[in-house]
mmCIF file of all heavy atoms in Angstrom:
data_model
loop_
_atom_site.group_PDB
_atom_site.id
_atom_site.type_symbol
_atom_site.label_atom_id
_atom_site.label_comp_id
_atom_site.label_asym_id
_atom_site.label_seq_id
_atom_site.Cartn_x
_atom_site.Cartn_y
_atom_site.Cartn_z
ATOM 1 N N PRO A 191 3.720 19.667 -16.279
ATOM 2 C CA PRO A 191 3.223 18.562 -17.095
ATOM 3 C C PRO A 191 4.247 17.452 -17.335
ATOM 4 O O PRO A 191 3.872 16.346 -17.721
ATOM 5 C CB PRO A 191 2.825 19.235 -18.420
ATOM 6 C CG PRO A 191 3.562 20.537 -18.430
ATOM 7 C CD PRO A 191 3.685 20.950 -17.008
ATOM 8 N N ASP A 192 5.535 17.732 -17.076
ATOM 9 C CA ASP A 192 6.545 16.686 -17.268
ATOM 10 C C ASP A 192 6.764 15.841 -16.009
ATOM 11 O O ASP A 192 7.608 14.943 -16.005
ATOM 12 C CB ASP A 192 7.877 17.303 -17.709
ATOM 13 C CG ASP A 192 8.499 18.187 -16.631
ATOM 14 O OD1 ASP A 192 7.792 19.113 -16.169
ATOM 15 O OD2 ASP A 192 9.658 17.956 -16.245
ATOM 16 N N ILE A 193 6.008 16.114 -14.958
ATOM 17 C CA ILE A 193 6.088 15.329 -13.720
ATOM 18 C C ILE A 193 4.979 14.292 -13.721
ATOM 19 O O ILE A 193 3.809 14.615 -13.943
ATOM 20 C CB ILE A 193 5.955 16.227 -12.479
ATOM 21 C CG1 ILE A 193 7.139 17.200 -12.393
ATOM 22 C CG2 ILE A 193 5.862 15.390 -11.206
ATOM 23 C CD1 ILE A 193 7.013 18.205 -11.259
ATOM 24 N N LEU A 194 5.340 13.029 -13.475
ATOM 25 C CA LEU A 194 4.353 11.957 -13.400
ATOM 26 C C LEU A 194 3.761 11.916 -11.997
ATOM 27 O O LEU A 194 4.487 11.777 -11.007
ATOM 28 C CB LEU A 194 5.013 10.612 -13.721
ATOM 29 C CG LEU A 194 4.109 9.384 -13.569
ATOM 30 C CD1 LEU A 194 2.976 9.403 -14.593
ATOM 31 C CD2 LEU A 194 4.929 8.089 -13.685
ATOM 32 N N LEU A 195 2.443 12.016 -11.913
ATOM 33 C CA LEU A 195 1.728 11.862 -10.645
ATOM 34 C C LEU A 195 1.186 10.443 -10.573
ATOM 35 O O LEU A 195 0.354 10.045 -11.397
ATOM 36 C CB LEU A 195 0.586 12.872 -10.538
ATOM 37 C CG LEU A 195 -0.337 12.727 -9.317
ATOM 38 C CD1 LEU A 195 0.439 12.877 -8.015
ATOM 39 C CD2 LEU A 195 -1.481 13.744 -9.389
ATOM 40 N N VAL A 196 1.679 9.662 -9.609
ATOM 41 C CA VAL A 196 1.223 8.282 -9.419
ATOM 42 C C VAL A 196 0.280 8.261 -8.229
ATOM 43 O O VAL A 196 0.680 8.522 -7.091
ATOM 44 C CB VAL A 196 2.404 7.328 -9.172
ATOM 45 C CG1 VAL A 196 1.883 5.896 -9.002
ATOM 46 C CG2 VAL A 196 3.409 7.396 -10.321
ATOM 47 N N LEU A 197 -0.983 7.959 -8.494
ATOM 48 C CA LEU A 197 -2.003 7.881 -7.452
ATOM 49 C C LEU A 197 -2.196 6.410 -7.088
ATOM 50 O O LEU A 197 -2.777 5.630 -7.839
ATOM 51 C CB LEU A 197 -3.306 8.506 -7.940
ATOM 52 C CG LEU A 197 -3.195 10.014 -8.245
ATOM 53 C CD1 LEU A 197 -4.463 10.515 -8.938
ATOM 54 C CD2 LEU A 197 -2.930 10.804 -6.979
ATOM 55 N N ASP A 198 -1.649 6.049 -5.945
ATOM 56 C CA ASP A 198 -1.653 4.671 -5.454
ATOM 57 C C ASP A 198 -2.956 4.427 -4.707
ATOM 58 O O ASP A 198 -3.158 4.913 -3.601
ATOM 59 C CB ASP A 198 -0.434 4.502 -4.545
ATOM 60 C CG ASP A 198 -0.355 3.134 -3.871
ATOM 61 O OD1 ASP A 198 -1.255 2.307 -4.086
ATOM 62 O OD2 ASP A 198 0.610 2.920 -3.126
ATOM 63 N N GLN A 199 -3.839 3.635 -5.325
ATOM 64 C CA GLN A 199 -5.181 3.425 -4.786
ATOM 65 C C GLN A 199 -5.395 1.988 -4.304
ATOM 66 O O GLN A 199 -6.438 1.390 -4.542
ATOM 67 C CB GLN A 199 -6.223 3.776 -5.841
ATOM 68 C CG GLN A 199 -6.319 5.263 -6.153
ATOM 69 C CD GLN A 199 -7.672 5.607 -6.746
ATOM 70 O OE1 GLN A 199 -8.140 4.944 -7.667
ATOM 71 N NE2 GLN A 199 -8.294 6.632 -6.225
ATOM 72 N N ALA A 200 -4.430 1.459 -3.582
ATOM 73 C CA ALA A 200 -4.549 0.085 -3.102
ATOM 74 C C ALA A 200 -5.788 -0.135 -2.241
ATOM 75 O O ALA A 200 -6.326 -1.243 -2.189
ATOM 76 C CB ALA A 200 -3.291 -0.298 -2.310
ATOM 77 N N TYR A 201 -6.254 0.933 -1.588
ATOM 78 C CA TYR A 201 -7.390 0.815 -0.664
ATOM 79 C C TYR A 201 -8.625 1.567 -1.163
ATOM 80 O O TYR A 201 -9.564 1.792 -0.401
ATOM 81 C CB TYR A 201 -6.984 1.334 0.720
ATOM 82 C CG TYR A 201 -5.836 0.571 1.326
ATOM 83 C CD1 TYR A 201 -4.521 0.957 1.109
ATOM 84 C CD2 TYR A 201 -6.060 -0.572 2.097
ATOM 85 C CE1 TYR A 201 -3.455 0.238 1.635
ATOM 86 C CE2 TYR A 201 -5.001 -1.292 2.638
ATOM 87 C CZ TYR A 201 -3.705 -0.886 2.394
ATOM 88 O OH TYR A 201 -2.653 -1.601 2.920
ATOM 89 N N ALA A 202 -8.641 1.935 -2.431
ATOM 90 C CA ALA A 202 -9.708 2.793 -2.954
ATOM 91 C C ALA A 202 -11.090 2.178 -2.813
ATOM 92 O O ALA A 202 -12.077 2.889 -2.582
ATOM 93 C CB ALA A 202 -9.438 3.124 -4.419
ATOM 94 N N GLU A 203 -11.189 0.848 -2.956
ATOM 95 C CA GLU A 203 -12.513 0.213 -2.908
ATOM 96 C C GLU A 203 -13.145 0.269 -1.530
ATOM 97 O O GLU A 203 -14.345 -0.005 -1.392
ATOM 98 C CB GLU A 203 -12.406 -1.237 -3.381
ATOM 99 C CG GLU A 203 -12.113 -1.404 -4.857
ATOM 100 C CD GLU A 203 -10.621 -1.485 -5.155
ATOM 101 O OE1 GLU A 203 -9.818 -1.256 -4.215
ATOM 102 O OE2 GLU A 203 -10.262 -1.776 -6.317
ATOM 103 N N TYR A 204 -12.382 0.625 -0.509
ATOM 104 C CA TYR A 204 -12.949 0.762 0.834
ATOM 105 C C TYR A 204 -13.597 2.128 1.052
ATOM 106 O O TYR A 204 -14.303 2.331 2.043
ATOM 107 C CB TYR A 204 -11.864 0.539 1.897
ATOM 108 C CG TYR A 204 -11.472 -0.910 2.033
ATOM 109 C CD1 TYR A 204 -10.254 -1.366 1.562
ATOM 110 C CD2 TYR A 204 -12.338 -1.830 2.631
ATOM 111 C CE1 TYR A 204 -9.892 -2.703 1.683
ATOM 112 C CE2 TYR A 204 -11.988 -3.168 2.752
ATOM 113 C CZ TYR A 204 -10.761 -3.599 2.275
ATOM 114 O OH TYR A 204 -10.423 -4.924 2.386
ATOM 115 N N VAL A 205 -13.356 3.053 0.145
ATOM 116 C CA VAL A 205 -13.928 4.394 0.264
ATOM 117 C C VAL A 205 -15.365 4.376 -0.253
ATOM 118 O O VAL A 205 -15.664 3.752 -1.278
ATOM 119 C CB VAL A 205 -13.084 5.407 -0.542
ATOM 120 C CG1 VAL A 205 -13.697 6.798 -0.474
ATOM 121 C CG2 VAL A 205 -11.647 5.432 -0.023
ATOM 122 N N ALA A 206 -16.267 5.051 0.447
ATOM 123 C CA ALA A 206 -17.654 5.136 -0.002
ATOM 124 C C ALA A 206 -17.701 5.759 -1.399
ATOM 125 O O ALA A 206 -16.975 6.727 -1.675
ATOM 126 C CB ALA A 206 -18.479 5.970 0.971
ATOM 127 N N PRO A 207 -18.524 5.229 -2.304
ATOM 128 C CA PRO A 207 -18.561 5.725 -3.688
ATOM 129 C C PRO A 207 -18.756 7.233 -3.785
ATOM 130 O O PRO A 207 -18.168 7.884 -4.671
ATOM 131 C CB PRO A 207 -19.745 4.966 -4.294
ATOM 132 C CG PRO A 207 -19.821 3.704 -3.501
ATOM 133 C CD PRO A 207 -19.432 4.077 -2.106
ATOM 134 N N GLU A 208 -19.549 7.797 -2.898
ATOM 135 C CA GLU A 208 -19.791 9.237 -2.971
ATOM 136 C C GLU A 208 -18.570 10.068 -2.586
ATOM 137 O O GLU A 208 -18.529 11.283 -2.833
ATOM 138 C CB GLU A 208 -20.976 9.625 -2.082
ATOM 139 C CG GLU A 208 -20.791 9.333 -0.601
ATOM 140 C CD GLU A 208 -21.284 7.959 -0.186
ATOM 141 O OE1 GLU A 208 -21.373 7.074 -1.063
ATOM 142 O OE2 GLU A 208 -21.576 7.774 1.018
ATOM 143 N N ASP A 209 -17.571 9.434 -1.994
ATOM 144 C CA ASP A 209 -16.351 10.146 -1.591
ATOM 145 C C ASP A 209 -15.177 9.867 -2.518
ATOM 146 O O ASP A 209 -14.031 10.195 -2.185
ATOM 147 C CB ASP A 209 -15.969 9.755 -0.160
ATOM 148 C CG ASP A 209 -17.011 10.185 0.860
ATOM 149 O OD1 ASP A 209 -17.612 11.259 0.658
ATOM 150 O OD2 ASP A 209 -17.228 9.453 1.848
ATOM 151 N N ASP A 210 -15.431 9.299 -3.678
ATOM 152 C CA ASP A 210 -14.383 8.973 -4.644
ATOM 153 C C ASP A 210 -13.520 10.200 -4.944
ATOM 154 O O ASP A 210 -14.028 11.320 -5.077
ATOM 155 C CB ASP A 210 -15.020 8.460 -5.929
ATOM 156 C CG ASP A 210 -14.006 8.149 -7.002
ATOM 157 O OD1 ASP A 210 -13.358 7.106 -6.899
ATOM 158 O OD2 ASP A 210 -13.851 8.963 -7.932
ATOM 159 N N ASP A 211 -12.205 9.982 -5.044
ATOM 160 C CA ASP A 211 -11.296 11.124 -5.220
ATOM 161 C C ASP A 211 -11.078 11.535 -6.668
ATOM 162 O O ASP A 211 -10.296 12.454 -6.953
ATOM 163 C CB ASP A 211 -9.944 10.839 -4.551
ATOM 164 C CG ASP A 211 -9.158 9.708 -5.219
ATOM 165 O OD1 ASP A 211 -9.624 9.169 -6.243
ATOM 166 O OD2 ASP A 211 -8.065 9.374 -4.708
ATOM 167 N N GLY A 212 -11.734 10.865 -7.610
ATOM 168 C CA GLY A 212 -11.650 11.276 -9.014
ATOM 169 C C GLY A 212 -10.378 10.853 -9.719
ATOM 170 O O GLY A 212 -10.103 11.315 -10.831
ATOM 171 N N ALA A 213 -9.600 9.950 -9.113
ATOM 172 C CA ALA A 213 -8.311 9.570 -9.695
ATOM 173 C C ALA A 213 -8.464 8.898 -11.061
ATOM 174 O O ALA A 213 -7.719 9.212 -11.999
ATOM 175 C CB ALA A 213 -7.558 8.648 -8.740
ATOM 176 N N LEU A 214 -9.414 7.979 -11.198
ATOM 177 C CA LEU A 214 -9.589 7.297 -12.475
ATOM 178 C C LEU A 214 -10.024 8.273 -13.565
ATOM 179 O O LEU A 214 -9.592 8.153 -14.721
ATOM 180 C CB LEU A 214 -10.601 6.158 -12.340
ATOM 181 C CG LEU A 214 -10.153 4.941 -11.522
ATOM 182 C CD1 LEU A 214 -11.260 3.899 -11.451
ATOM 183 C CD2 LEU A 214 -8.883 4.324 -12.105
ATOM 184 N N GLU A 215 -10.846 9.227 -13.209
ATOM 185 C CA GLU A 215 -11.252 10.246 -14.180
ATOM 186 C C GLU A 215 -10.055 11.082 -14.617
ATOM 187 O O GLU A 215 -9.897 11.412 -15.799
ATOM 188 C CB GLU A 215 -12.332 11.148 -13.573
ATOM 189 C CG GLU A 215 -13.626 10.443 -13.240
ATOM 190 C CD GLU A 215 -14.567 11.330 -12.436
ATOM 191 O OE1 GLU A 215 -14.554 12.553 -12.657
ATOM 192 O OE2 GLU A 215 -15.281 10.796 -11.577
ATOM 193 N N LEU A 216 -9.208 11.421 -13.657
ATOM 194 C CA LEU A 216 -8.026 12.221 -13.962
ATOM 195 C C LEU A 216 -7.075 11.444 -14.868
ATOM 196 O O LEU A 216 -6.516 11.992 -15.829
ATOM 197 C CB LEU A 216 -7.332 12.610 -12.659
ATOM 198 C CG LEU A 216 -6.342 13.772 -12.684
ATOM 199 C CD1 LEU A 216 -6.980 15.043 -13.199
ATOM 200 C CD2 LEU A 216 -5.777 13.989 -11.289
ATOM 201 N N ALA A 217 -6.914 10.159 -14.588
ATOM 202 C CA ALA A 217 -6.031 9.333 -15.411
ATOM 203 C C ALA A 217 -6.558 9.182 -16.830
ATOM 204 O O ALA A 217 -5.784 8.935 -17.763
ATOM 205 C CB ALA A 217 -5.862 7.958 -14.768
ATOM 206 N N ALA A 218 -7.868 9.323 -17.000
ATOM 207 C CA ALA A 218 -8.467 9.178 -18.326
ATOM 208 C C ALA A 218 -8.301 10.422 -19.184
ATOM 209 O O ALA A 218 -8.424 10.354 -20.412
ATOM 210 C CB ALA A 218 -9.957 8.850 -18.186
ATOM 211 N N THR A 219 -8.007 11.556 -18.555
ATOM 212 C CA THR A 219 -7.952 12.810 -19.302
ATOM 213 C C THR A 219 -6.580 13.471 -19.307
ATOM 214 O O THR A 219 -6.275 14.255 -20.211
ATOM 215 C CB THR A 219 -8.966 13.814 -18.724
ATOM 216 O OG1 THR A 219 -8.707 14.005 -17.324
ATOM 217 C CG2 THR A 219 -10.393 13.293 -18.896
ATOM 218 N N ALA A 220 -5.754 13.195 -18.302
ATOM 219 C CA ALA A 220 -4.432 13.817 -18.218
ATOM 220 C C ALA A 220 -3.370 12.851 -18.728
ATOM 221 O O ALA A 220 -3.484 11.636 -18.552
ATOM 222 C CB ALA A 220 -4.132 14.206 -16.766
ATOM 223 N N ASN A 221 -2.328 13.374 -19.349
ATOM 224 C CA ASN A 221 -1.292 12.489 -19.883
ATOM 225 C C ASN A 221 -0.129 12.274 -18.927
ATOM 226 O O ASN A 221 0.871 11.651 -19.289
ATOM 227 C CB ASN A 221 -0.777 13.010 -21.235
ATOM 228 C CG ASN A 221 -0.117 14.379 -21.122
ATOM 229 O OD1 ASN A 221 0.102 14.891 -20.022
ATOM 230 N ND2 ASN A 221 0.194 14.973 -22.265
ATOM 231 N N ASN A 222 -0.249 12.786 -17.681
ATOM 232 C CA ASN A 222 0.833 12.603 -16.706
ATOM 233 C C ASN A 222 0.321 12.043 -15.378
ATOM 234 O O ASN A 222 0.899 12.299 -14.323
ATOM 235 C CB ASN A 222 1.572 13.921 -16.470
ATOM 236 C CG ASN A 222 0.700 14.976 -15.791
ATOM 237 O OD1 ASN A 222 -0.529 14.948 -15.910
ATOM 238 N ND2 ASN A 222 1.326 15.891 -15.076
ATOM 239 N N VAL A 223 -0.774 11.257 -15.436
ATOM 240 C CA VAL A 223 -1.345 10.646 -14.226
ATOM 241 C C VAL A 223 -1.456 9.142 -14.425
ATOM 242 O O VAL A 223 -2.021 8.675 -15.418
ATOM 243 C CB VAL A 223 -2.728 11.231 -13.891
ATOM 244 C CG1 VAL A 223 -3.349 10.490 -12.707
ATOM 245 C CG2 VAL A 223 -2.622 12.718 -13.581
ATOM 246 N N LEU A 224 -0.907 8.415 -13.477
ATOM 247 C CA LEU A 224 -1.007 6.961 -13.465
ATOM 248 C C LEU A 224 -1.694 6.544 -12.171
ATOM 249 O O LEU A 224 -1.287 6.984 -11.087
ATOM 250 C CB LEU A 224 0.385 6.327 -13.548
ATOM 251 C CG LEU A 224 0.432 4.804 -13.699
ATOM 252 C CD1 LEU A 224 0.058 4.402 -15.130
ATOM 253 C CD2 LEU A 224 1.823 4.276 -13.352
ATOM 254 N N VAL A 225 -2.725 5.712 -12.267
ATOM 255 C CA VAL A 225 -3.421 5.187 -11.102
ATOM 256 C C VAL A 225 -3.083 3.715 -10.957
ATOM 257 O O VAL A 225 -3.165 2.954 -11.931
ATOM 258 C CB VAL A 225 -4.950 5.366 -11.228
ATOM 259 C CG1 VAL A 225 -5.665 4.638 -10.092
ATOM 260 C CG2 VAL A 225 -5.313 6.840 -11.210
ATOM 261 N N THR A 226 -2.672 3.309 -9.758
ATOM 262 C CA THR A 226 -2.391 1.899 -9.504
ATOM 263 C C THR A 226 -3.399 1.343 -8.507
ATOM 264 O O THR A 226 -3.809 2.032 -7.568
ATOM 265 C CB THR A 226 -0.968 1.688 -8.947
ATOM 266 O OG1 THR A 226 -0.846 2.330 -7.673
ATOM 267 C CG2 THR A 226 0.076 2.231 -9.903
ATOM 268 N N ARG A 227 -3.791 0.093 -8.729
ATOM 269 C CA ARG A 227 -4.691 -0.605 -7.815
ATOM 270 C C ARG A 227 -4.225 -2.044 -7.631
ATOM 271 O O ARG A 227 -3.330 -2.509 -8.330
ATOM 272 C CB ARG A 227 -6.138 -0.563 -8.315
ATOM 273 C CG ARG A 227 -6.770 0.827 -8.208
ATOM 274 C CD ARG A 227 -8.270 0.760 -8.290
ATOM 275 N NE ARG A 227 -8.884 2.067 -8.105
ATOM 276 C CZ ARG A 227 -10.189 2.266 -8.001
ATOM 277 N NH1 ARG A 227 -11.044 1.235 -8.068
ATOM 278 N NH2 ARG A 227 -10.675 3.478 -7.829
ATOM 279 N N THR A 228 -4.850 -2.747 -6.699
ATOM 280 C CA THR A 228 -4.419 -4.097 -6.369
ATOM 281 C C THR A 228 -5.599 -5.014 -6.077
ATOM 282 O O THR A 228 -6.687 -4.552 -5.709
ATOM 283 C CB THR A 228 -3.476 -4.064 -5.145
ATOM 284 O OG1 THR A 228 -3.009 -5.382 -4.880
ATOM 285 C CG2 THR A 228 -4.198 -3.561 -3.901
ATOM 286 N N PHE A 229 -5.358 -6.306 -6.235
ATOM 287 C CA PHE A 229 -6.328 -7.328 -5.843
ATOM 288 C C PHE A 229 -6.016 -7.870 -4.449
ATOM 289 O O PHE A 229 -6.684 -8.784 -3.970
ATOM 290 C CB PHE A 229 -6.310 -8.482 -6.850
ATOM 291 C CG PHE A 229 -7.062 -8.198 -8.124
ATOM 292 C CD1 PHE A 229 -6.513 -7.387 -9.102
ATOM 293 C CD2 PHE A 229 -8.317 -8.735 -8.345
ATOM 294 C CE1 PHE A 229 -7.184 -7.124 -10.279
ATOM 295 C CE2 PHE A 229 -9.007 -8.487 -9.524
ATOM 296 C CZ PHE A 229 -8.448 -7.668 -10.492
ATOM 297 N N SER A 230 -4.988 -7.328 -3.799
ATOM 298 C CA SER A 230 -4.526 -7.895 -2.532
ATOM 299 C C SER A 230 -5.387 -7.539 -1.341
ATOM 300 O O SER A 230 -5.349 -8.234 -0.324
ATOM 301 C CB SER A 230 -3.088 -7.431 -2.255
ATOM 302 O OG SER A 230 -2.206 -7.924 -3.216
ATOM 303 N N LYS A 231 -6.151 -6.477 -1.426
ATOM 304 C CA LYS A 231 -6.874 -5.975 -0.260
ATOM 305 C C LYS A 231 -8.338 -6.405 -0.295
ATOM 306 O O LYS A 231 -8.695 -7.471 0.161
ATOM 307 C CB LYS A 231 -6.710 -4.460 -0.167
ATOM 308 C CG LYS A 231 -5.249 -3.999 -0.174
ATOM 309 C CD LYS A 231 -4.415 -4.678 0.895
ATOM 310 C CE LYS A 231 -2.965 -4.235 0.835
ATOM 311 N NZ LYS A 231 -2.097 -4.973 1.770
#
Side-chain angles (χ1 to χ4, degrees):
D192 65 305
I193 296 175
L194 175 66
L195 174 60
V196 181
L197 296 171
D198 176 359
Q199 290 203 312
Y201 300 90
E203 290 91 352
Y204 286 107
V205 178
E208 62 269 23
D209 296 325
D210 178 77
D211 66 3
L214 290 179
E215 296 171 33
L216 198 57
T219 56
N221 62 8
N222 66 334
V223 175
L224 186 75
V225 172
T226 64
R227 289 198 176 187
T228 183
F229 281 77
S230 296
K231 306 306 178 186

